[in-house]
Amino acid sequence: MPRTPSENERIRQIAKDKILEAAMDLFIHQGYHATSISDVAKQAGISKGLLYNYFSGKEGLLATMVEERIAGVAEVIENAASLQAPADQLKFILEQAIDNVYQQPEVFRFYLHLQTQPEADQELFPYSKRLVEEAARQFEIQCRIFEGLGVPEPRKRSLYFSSTLQGIMLMISTYPQHFPIDEVKEQMLKEFCP
């Protein structure tokens, strides 16, 4: 009995996810430039030809990964925005960000590294720029949340919140086993979500 179109799509998605997972693992441990398409195919347990059925090449893999990352962050912000109270919105953002980094510290470091690529790296810089532009867009949404809280100088308060949260995320990604997650969340909530 032939497969249904939905089953074919499910199988296709599983294969794409497997390839993206293999690419992320290699990009994290070997670096983007040191990883070849052959490496990714081997890690994913597929042929190079099959990989090219799903992605145009290594840069196509990276482009997909960056767009998925941006979509994930946007989804967190959209879900936060669906909550009524600004304090609940900030709490949601805070908890999602910290939990995500705690669960995947190496992935956070990968995107942080990618986000800070120099302009001279012509292959990676467009993705760095894309991540920075999206972060700026998300920051504007966050500023509106602080305006909703009615705090004086909401933009500065939002910048302080982001800086504090980014520092916490960096510490978690560096020392995930020794970081007091719950205590830090509680402190952030006290300070920013009255």
Side-chain angles (χ1 to χ4, degrees):
M1 180 172 185
R3 284 182 248 171
T4 65
S6 64
E7 184 160 337
N8 283 334
E9 183 53 37
R10 185 184 66 78
I11 290 168
R12 227 177 120 64
Q13 191 58 51
I14 289 170
K16 285 175 76 172
D17 290 346
K18 189 176 182 181
I19 294 166
L20 288 168
E21 186 179 310
M24 176 61 79
D25 185 59
L26 290 166
F27 292 170
I28 287 170
H29 293 101
Q30 291 181 188
Y32 175 81
H33 292 297
T35 299
S36 70
I37 280 295
S38 295
D39 294 335
V40 176
K42 183 178 178 183
Q43 177 98 358
I46 62 167
S47 71
K48 226 164 80 167
L50 182 58
L51 188 148
Y52 280 115
N53 280 338
Y54 297 111
F55 299 97
S56 60
K58 188 166 71 165
E59 194 168 344
L61 280 165
L62 182 63
T64 300
M65 293 162 75
V66 167
E67 290 308 315
E68 285 184 359
R69 176 70 170 192
I70 287 170
V73 171
E75 183 180 355
V76 168
I77 297 295
E78 289 167 17
N79 288 339
S82 72
L83 301 172
Q84 291 290 339
D88 291 339
Q89 294 170 343
L90 284 180
K91 179 180 178 185
F92 185 84
I93 291 168
L94 169 74
E95 289 180 341
Q96 291 294 309
I98 288 175
D99 291 347
N100 182 277
V101 173
Y102 184 71
Q103 291 163 7
Q104 299 181 307
E106 291 179 326
V107 172
F108 172 79
R109 286 195 310 267
F110 170 77
Y111 285 110
L112 180 62
H113 178 71
L114 184 59
Q115 195 170 342
T116 58
Q117 288 300 305
E119 287 185 41
D121 189 332
Q122 294 180 2
E123 194 171 354
L124 293 183
F125 184 70
Y127 302 101
S128 171
K129 185 177 178 192
R130 179 81 175 96
L131 288 166
V132 169
E133 289 169 351
E134 182 59 23
R137 192 179 80 75
Q138 300 300 334
F139 178 74
E140 292 303 322
I141 295 169
Q142 184 180 286
C143 286
R144 290 195 290 277
I145 294 172
F146 276 95
E147 287 170 8
L149 281 173
V151 299
E153 301 187 84
R155 195 165 191 79
K156 286 183 183 175
R157 189 71 175 158
S158 182
L159 184 59
Y160 177 48
F161 174 82
S162 290
S163 300
T164 304
L165 185 56
Q166 285 292 324
I168 289 167
M169 291 162 66
L170 181 59
M171 291 295 292
I172 292 168
S173 74
T174 306
Y175 310 105
Q177 304 307 318
H178 305 288
F179 199 84
I181 301 280
D182 294 331
E183 293 89 341
V184 169
K185 274 187 192 178
E186 187 177 320
Q187 182 62 38
M188 284 281 287
L189 291 173
K190 281 181 190 174
E191 184 162 348
F192 292 102
C193 305

